[in-house]
Amino acid sequence: MKQKSVFVCQECGYSLPKWVGRCPDCGKWNTLVEELKVSSRPATGRRGVANESQRQPQPITDIQASEQERLESGIEEFDRVLGGGAVPGSVSLIGGDPGIGKSTILLQAAERLSQKYGTVLYVTGEESATQTKLRAERLGIKSPALYILCETDVDAIERHIVKLSPAVVVVDSIQTIYNPNIQSTPGGVAQVRESTAALTYIAKSQAIPIFIVGHMTKDGSIAGPKVMEHMVDTVLYMEGDAYHVYRILRAVKNRFGSTNEIGVFEMRETGLVEITNPSEMLLSERQEDVSGSVVVPIVEGSRPILLELQALVAPANFGTPQRTANGVDRNRLALLLAVLDKRAGFHIQNSDVFINIIGGIQAAEPGVDLGTIVAIASNFRNIPVDAKTVILGEVGLGGEVRAVYQAEKRIREAAKLGFTRAIVSQYNLRSLKIKEDIKILGVRTVNDALNIVL
C-alpha cells in the first residue's frame, strides 16, 4: 500500500500535490491542509458492488410506491420542519453557531422518540458520557430507552447500531467522526465526506433515521465539503441571536417535505420550549404611542408571523451618516431611504438611521418594505402610527407599492390578534376574501400610505 502527501482544501475538497496560499478552485485563502492519501485500500464490501440480483432496472410502472410512516417526536415545531416527522432511512444534517441549541433540541427530541418508539442511540464524539448525563439532567431527560455512546470510529458506530437496532440515531458531531481507512485527521474534508457516506449507507440499509450535527464556518456555512449537503436528505439550520432567547429551526433542503417551514423555540434553563404562537410572543412587550414603531406581517413557510419593526432617525453629528439594520438587509434599507427622499420628499440622507426587528428575527422578504418606510417617516416626524394597524407591501424604485404573496393569510393572522386596520397594495385587494372584522385600505404609492398613517 503506497501513501503520498497531498494538500486538500478544507472548504471545497480540491487537492494539490504542493501547498499554495489560495485554493485555485474556490478561491479561499489558507485553506489547504496536508493529508496522507492512500493510493489503494481494500474494499470494505459493505459499500462495494451490490449483488446484481438485488438491483435490476425495472419499469417505473412496476415499482410499488407506498407512503412511509414517519416517526413523530411530539415536539410540534421540530416535526413541522421535518415535514411531519422523521422518515425511516433518512439522514438529516443540522448546523448552527456554537451554543445555539443544536445538541439541546436533538437530545430533547431523542428522549421523546425513545419514549414513543423504543431504543434511541445518541452518539457523542465531543462529550463524555458523564458530561452528556449532566446536560440531560438539566433538561429533565430520564428515559431508560435513550442510550449514550461515546465513540468516534464510524466502523465501531456501525457495529453498535447493528447490535442495538435503535429506532433513531443521533451523531454529535460529524467533525469528530473518522474512518480508520482514511489517513487524515478527523474534521478534514476526506474524513467528513467518507464518514457521512458511511452513515448514509447505514441509514438506508437499516431503515433508521440518522440526525447528524455539523459545525459552522466563519462565513455561516456548514463546515466540510459542499458535497456533504448533497449526500444527506435534509439540511436544517438553527438560527438566532446569542443575546435573544428565540431560536428558529429552518429547513434549507428537504427531500421529504417543504423547505419553507420553520420552527420557533424559546431558550430557557430547562432547554428549548416550542412557541406555537410566535406573533403573540413577539408583540407581547410592544409599547403603544411610540413613533417609529410599526407591525409588519411576514410569512415563513405556511405560517404568518407578526413582527414589531422599529426605526430611529437622529442627526448625524460625525461625518458620514450611519445606516444600521438589524433583521433587514442593509442594502435594501439604503434603497428605501433613496425612495423616501426622491419620491416622498423626506430629506433624511444626512441623518443616522437605525432599523431593528424585535426578537432577533430576520425578515428577508420585500413584504416589509412599506412598513420600513412608514416606521422611518413616523420617527422622523415624531408621529406615532396607530397601534392597531399592520402594514405590508413591496416598494419599487418609482415609489409604487407592489402586491405581496399570501396577503390574505397575513391579514387573517393580524385580525386574530386584535388588529383593526391593514394597509396593503391596491393590487392585493383584487384577490382578498376577508370575513374577519378588519378594515383593509389599498394604496398605490408610498405617498398614499404616508398620508393615511401620518
Side-chain angles (χ1 to χ4, degrees):
M1 184 183 298
K2 295 182 179 180
Q3 294 181 349
K4 63 178 181 178
S5 177
V6 294
F7 291 85
V8 181
C9 175
Q10 301 302 296
E11 290 288 336
C12 66
Y14 189 79
S15 61
L16 289 169
K18 62 180 182 179
W19 186 88
V20 293
R22 184 180 184 182
C23 174
D25 189 43
C26 67
K28 299 290 185 179
W29 288 90
N30 299 321
T31 58
L32 291 170
V33 176
E34 186 177 12
E35 295 182 359
L36 289 176
K37 182 177 180 180
V38 182
S39 57
S40 63
R41 56 187 175 97
T44 58
R46 62 181 181 186
R47 287 179 293 277
V49 179
N51 187 342
E52 291 186 4
S53 63
Q54 295 177 353
R55 299 179 183 176
Q56 292 292 333
Q58 48 184 322
I60 192 170
T61 54
D62 295 345
I63 299 175
Q64 300 296 324
S66 59
E67 188 70 24
Q68 292 179 297
E69 183 179 353
R70 296 175 181 263
L71 305 183
E72 298 180 356
S73 67
I75 303 176
E76 185 179 338
E77 298 296 296
F78 184 75
D79 294 334
R80 177 204 301 273
V81 179
L82 291 175
V87 175
S90 64
V91 181
S92 301
L93 177 65
I94 176 171
D97 294 330
I100 201 71
K102 304 183 297 295
S103 301
T104 299
I105 187 62
L106 287 178
L107 196 57
Q108 291 179 241
E111 186 209 21
R112 297 283 191 93
L113 289 165
S114 67
Q115 293 173 342
K116 192 172 183 180
Y117 299 102
T119 304
V120 172
L121 179 62
Y122 190 99
V123 182
T124 171
E126 299 183 339
E127 298 178 325
S128 65
T130 304
Q131 291 174 320
T132 307
K133 170 65 174 177
L134 291 173
R135 185 153 54 90
E137 288 181 345
R138 177 174 59 85
L139 300 175
I141 294 175
K142 299 178 181 179
S143 174
L146 177 57
Y147 286 73
I148 305 298
L149 172 64
C150 299
E151 183 59 73
T152 55
D153 186 338
V154 70
D155 289 338
I157 293 172
E158 180 179 7
R159 289 194 296 269
H160 284 290
I161 291 175
V162 173
K163 180 180 178 181
L164 199 60
S165 188
V168 179
V169 175
V170 177
V171 178
D172 187 5
S173 66
I174 191 62
Q175 276 73 26
T176 63
I177 306 302
Y178 73 95
N179 188 325
N181 295 318
I182 304 297
Q183 300 296 319
S184 62
T185 57
V189 170
Q191 285 289 5
V192 170
R193 182 179 60 246
E194 290 298 318
S195 298
T196 303
L199 292 171
T200 302
Y201 177 85
I202 297 169
K204 304 301 181 185
S205 61
Q206 303 290 327
I208 298 173
I210 295 183
F211 293 91
I212 302 175
V213 175
H215 291 170
M216 301 293 286
T217 60
K218 289 185 291 184
D219 62 359
S221 60
I222 297 178
K226 198 66 178 176
V227 69
M228 178 178 64
E229 298 186 26
H230 298 292
M231 295 166 64
V232 300
D233 300 304
T234 306
V235 180
L236 310 176
Y237 278 90
M238 181 70 81
E239 303 172 355
D241 193 327
Y243 302 102
H244 290 87
V245 297
Y246 301 113
R247 302 288 187 269
I248 291 180
L249 185 64
R250 186 187 306 273
V252 296
K253 173 189 176 182
N254 192 349
R255 289 174 179 161
F256 308 110
S258 171
T259 57
N260 296 320
E261 295 293 349
I262 66 166
V264 184
F265 301 87
E266 181 182 358
M267 178 64 80
R268 299 180 183 174
E269 292 183 1
T270 55
L272 288 167
V273 179
E274 56 182 331
I275 300 177
T276 56
N277 192 344
S279 299
E280 189 174 3
M281 179 72 71
L282 293 169
L283 298 177
S284 60
E285 299 180 27
R286 184 185 179 219
Q287 292 184 355
E288 299 182 1
D289 299 325
V290 176
S291 65
S293 173
V294 301
V295 175
V296 292
I298 65 172
V299 173
E300 291 285 358
S302 60
R303 162 185 286 173
I305 301 177
L306 269 60
L307 305 174
E308 180 186 0
L309 188 149
Q310 294 181 335
L312 180 64
V313 181
N317 297 320
F318 303 99
T320 306
Q322 298 184 56
R323 302 287 184 261
T324 303
N326 253 342
V328 296
D329 183 56
R330 190 172 181 271
N331 294 326
R332 192 72 182 174
L333 172 60
L335 182 150
L336 296 176
L337 287 174
V339 172
L340 192 58
D341 188 309
K342 183 75 173 179
R343 305 299 181 186
F346 282 73
H347 303 296
I348 56 178
Q349 294 290 356
N350 294 325
S351 302
D352 293 335
V353 179
F354 306 91
I355 298 292
N356 181 44
I357 290 184
I358 301 301
I361 307 296
Q362 295 292 322
E365 64 164 278
V368 301
D369 287 355
L370 186 59
T372 304
I373 282 184
V374 169
I376 295 171
S378 167
N379 189 259
F380 182 71
R381 292 278 178 85
N382 199 26
I383 301 175
V385 177
D386 177 39
K388 295 298 182 181
T389 298
V390 294
I391 303 172
L392 62 151
E394 179 183 355
V395 175
L397 293 180
E400 74 278 10
V401 179
R402 298 176 176 271
V404 298
Y405 72 101
Q406 297 187 3
E408 188 171 318
K409 184 177 292 187
R410 306 176 196 227
I411 295 172
R412 283 178 175 169
E413 177 72 8
K416 188 171 67 175
L417 293 177
F419 287 86
T420 57
R421 186 173 67 167
I423 298 176
V424 303
S425 169
Q426 183 73 28
Y427 301 99
N428 274 129
L429 295 180
R430 303 173 182 174
S431 58
L432 291 180
K433 298 178 181 179
I434 304 294
K435 297 180 180 179
E436 285 78 6
D437 187 17
I438 182 171
K439 186 178 181 181
I440 303 174
L441 302 176
V443 295
R444 295 184 180 274
T445 65
V446 169
N447 282 318
D448 294 342
L450 294 177
N451 288 334
I452 293 174
V453 296
L454 303 182

